[in-house]
Amino acid sequence: MSDQSFTVKSYDRFFIANEWCVPSSTATFDVINPATEKIIATVPAAQHADIDIAVMAAREAFDHGPWPRMSASDRADCIKELSAALQRDIPGMASIISQEMGCPITFSTAGQTFAPIMVLEYYADLAKNFPFEEDRQGMMGPVKVRQEALGVVAAITPWNVPLFTAMLKLAPALAAGCTIVLKPAQETPLDAYALAEALATTSIPPGVVNIVPAERDVSQYLVSHPGVDKVSFTGSTAAGRKIGAICGEQIKRCTLELGGKSAAIILDDSDLDAVMPKLLPGAMMNTGQACIAQTRILASHARYEETVEALVAAVSAQNVGDPSNEACDIGPLFASHHRERVEGYIAIGREEGATIATGGGRPEGLDKGWYVEPTVFTNVDNNMRIAQEEIFGPVIVVIPYKDEAEAVAIANDSSFGLSGSVWCGDAERGLDIAREVRTGTYGVNGQGMDFHSPFGGFKQSGIGRELGPEGLNAFCEYKTITLPADYKPQD
């Protein structure tokens, strides 16, 4: 590893009610660096009793504490304090995330550390002017429509972008006045502990944010806990189905941000030399471990070979190696079992009759670390499993189409609908296509995610939206108060 790595540390307690609490058991998780395969830290593994304590702290803070009763402006000031605390050591946080999940340091700095801070800043600013209470003229007299904090939130985050997905939940929940139990992925808990240390320096009251890493069965206990009012989950569609079923049975609010298999449509009037440097980061970001990754590339029959040639050249030039090196484009996959899964899909692609144009194996000279070569499949039919199922690794498929109508049909022929893009010389033409593709976010000559606008998916990509004002709405309950016809508001 390069000397840019920061030292990470082990923890032996949970962050509950702004205190470091002794676990109820001696169970722990090992945190393994995917590039070295070495254990770099241990953290306690929460049991049911620990979840009970964390939920109780959040419940007390919501039911009797000051947080939901503070002005939105005061809450915004506290959120600003948290943002400032995280900004004190951006290189340190980026390095922690790279070491715990293998993310290339450049993406870890921008996408894993700066981006969460940007989300905090956005919601701090939004909270100051958000219409938590609105006066309307009703049918029979004046009406007040309030948006009130929903309650205790279970925020369950994945391993691939751990701090960013945590902020997609924490920032709007805090702005709304909710309290939170954050359950980070067991593989990547270290950034959550660094977040806890930052929280401890702020004016956010005890019990507002509580952090407890746990295994999946204990996570299910958190989801079903009667003290939890809402579950906000980011992760696989399979896990989302189970969480949605539990929440449905309990009539519990939930937001589910799930998988994707996004299509990038390259139109014939596009300049491939200009497209590839912009498209490739969207296809291979975070070593392909991103729900919005553009992993289906759609190219017309007329320019198919030309597109494949340009894509193969760009992918082959990717620097695979030490994620702490700023020259690294592709790091290791986050876990040994996940590399086996990705390699299994590469084998399936071969069996289905697709052709590997580049990659397909393990990189030479990298005997340690869970690496897979960035891979491009050609001669792919959209019905193949490698075109329909989320691989979650550095694997791209190139699918031919005969005309724009078929390109849209192929893009829509998916059980997912999270992201997508179109690459073209005429932005208006691209906008027409964007309107036809059934997906929650979409980009014309770029990626489709904007922090000030709603993010989420159609179909099996999820339920609900994060980011934008809609992301704050998701942590509020509406209340209508009808008033006498002669009511006059006090000055």
Side-chain angles (χ1 to χ4, degrees):
M1 301 291 290
S2 81
D3 60 7
Q4 294 180 33
S5 296
F6 284 62
T7 301
V8 296
K9 59 184 178 181
S10 297
Y11 294 86
D12 61 3
R13 303 195 176 198
F14 298 120
F15 184 75
I16 299 175
N18 285 21
E19 296 182 355
W20 294 101
C21 299
V22 177
S24 65
S25 80
T26 58
T28 60
F29 298 126
D30 290 331
V31 182
I32 301 174
N33 185 322
T36 65
E37 303 181 34
K38 293 181 179 179
I39 296 173
I40 57 173
T42 59
V43 301
Q47 307 301 306
H48 289 196
D50 304 302
I51 296 297
D52 287 337
I53 293 169
V55 172
M56 186 184 305
R59 189 80 260 166
E60 176 67 20
F62 184 80
D63 291 341
H64 305 292
W67 187 249
R69 295 158 188 86
M70 290 168 60
S71 70
S73 181
D74 287 343
R75 289 197 299 269
D77 290 340
C78 291
I79 296 171
K80 288 278 190 181
E81 287 182 32
L82 178 57
S83 174
L86 290 174
Q87 291 179 58
R88 292 187 190 114
D89 189 11
I90 288 172
M93 180 67 85
S95 180
I96 286 170
I97 296 172
S98 285
Q99 291 183 71
E100 68 182 348
M101 60 79 55
C103 178
I105 192 66
T106 51
F107 184 78
S108 189
T109 301
Q112 304 264 29
T113 307
F114 271 121
I117 291 167
M118 291 168 64
V119 173
L120 276 173
E121 290 288 329
Y122 169 73
Y123 279 108
D125 292 338
L126 180 65
K128 290 179 181 291
N129 298 299
F130 191 76
F132 287 106
E133 187 166 290
E134 176 188 354
D135 291 314
R136 297 184 189 177
Q137 182 56 46
M139 218 156 100
M140 305 297 291
V143 173
K144 283 192 181 290
V145 177
R146 289 174 51 81
Q147 292 193 63
E148 298 183 354
L150 199 154
V152 174
V153 175
I156 302 176
T157 55
W159 49 263
N160 63 322
V161 274
L163 186 63
F164 179 66
T165 52
M167 284 310 150
L168 295 186
K169 305 169 193 320
L170 262 65
L174 290 173
C178 294
T179 60
I180 303 114
V181 177
L182 171 62
K183 202 294 294 181
Q186 64 190 67
E187 299 89 353
T188 56
L190 299 179
D191 64 280
Y193 272 98
L195 170 63
E197 292 173 342
L199 282 160
T201 70
T202 72
S203 303
I204 296 173
V208 173
V209 182
N210 311 275
I211 299 176
V212 282
E215 290 184 315
R216 286 172 178 81
D217 63 330
V218 179
S219 299
Q220 183 170 322
Y221 179 73
L222 172 61
V223 168
S224 60
H225 201 291
V228 169
D229 299 302
K230 176 186 170 103
V231 177
S232 182
F233 170 77
T234 299
S236 71
T237 298
R241 286 193 187 98
K242 294 179 181 178
I243 291 170
I246 293 169
C247 291
E249 179 67 26
Q250 297 184 351
I251 319 297
K252 183 177 291 185
R253 280 67 176 150
C254 70
T255 297
L256 305 175
E257 199 282 286
L258 308 176
K261 191 70 178 179
S262 300
I265 300 172
I266 301 178
L267 299 186
D268 283 346
D269 66 346
S270 62
D271 178 354
L272 291 177
D273 290 337
V275 167
M276 290 304 157
K278 297 178 181 178
L279 172 60
L280 200 59
M284 291 286 186
M285 71 169 68
N286 205 17
T287 312
Q289 298 169 127
C291 57
I292 61 172
Q294 315 285 296
T295 54
R296 289 188 295 156
I297 311 300
L298 277 51
S300 73
H301 288 291
R303 298 191 70 185
Y304 187 80
E305 295 302 327
E306 182 186 359
T307 302
V308 167
E309 183 180 343
L311 187 61
V312 167
V315 169
S316 300
Q318 295 287 284
N319 187 329
V320 182
D322 177 0
S324 69
N325 188 328
E326 291 187 356
C328 173
D329 300 306
I330 304 291
L333 296 172
F334 92 102
S336 176
H337 66 82
H338 188 57
R339 177 169 68 172
E340 292 175 3
R341 179 180 184 275
V342 172
E343 289 179 330
Y345 271 107
I346 292 172
I348 288 168
R350 287 192 175 104
E351 293 166 5
E352 289 180 317
T355 302
I356 292 180
T358 188
R362 297 182 180 181
E364 292 184 8
L366 292 172
D367 298 329
K368 281 289 184 182
W370 299 312
Y371 291 92
V372 171
E373 289 179 325
T375 301
V376 176
F377 275 104
T378 60
N379 302 318
V380 176
D381 183 277
N382 197 54
N383 293 317
M384 293 179 176
R385 287 182 64 188
I386 58 171
Q388 286 293 320
E389 298 176 18
E390 188 174 39
I391 298 173
F392 227 61
V395 181
I396 296 171
V397 302
V398 191
I399 303 171
Y401 67 84
K402 64 182 178 182
D403 55 29
E404 291 177 13
E406 186 180 43
V408 170
I410 292 170
N412 285 332
D413 182 16
S414 172
S415 59
F416 298 106
L418 186 59
S419 185
S421 59
V422 60
W423 303 83
C424 52
D426 181 352
E428 284 297 326
R429 191 174 168 202
L431 182 57
D432 288 339
I433 286 178
R435 293 187 176 111
E436 296 297 319
V437 178
R438 297 277 297 164
T439 187
T441 59
Y442 205 79
V444 177
N445 291 334
Q447 304 305 312
M449 193 173 187
D450 178 87
F451 292 176
H452 293 199
S453 308
F455 171 72
F458 289 20
K459 299 183 274 189
Q460 293 186 27
S461 286
I463 296 172
R465 291 296 183 267
E466 297 180 315
L467 291 173
E470 294 79 5
L472 181 46
N473 291 141
F475 292 96
C476 297
E477 290 278 26
Y478 282 94
K479 175 187 286 183
T480 296
I481 303 173
T482 59
L483 296 162
D486 61 351
Y487 172 81
K488 300 294 182 185
Q490 296 180 352
D491 294 334

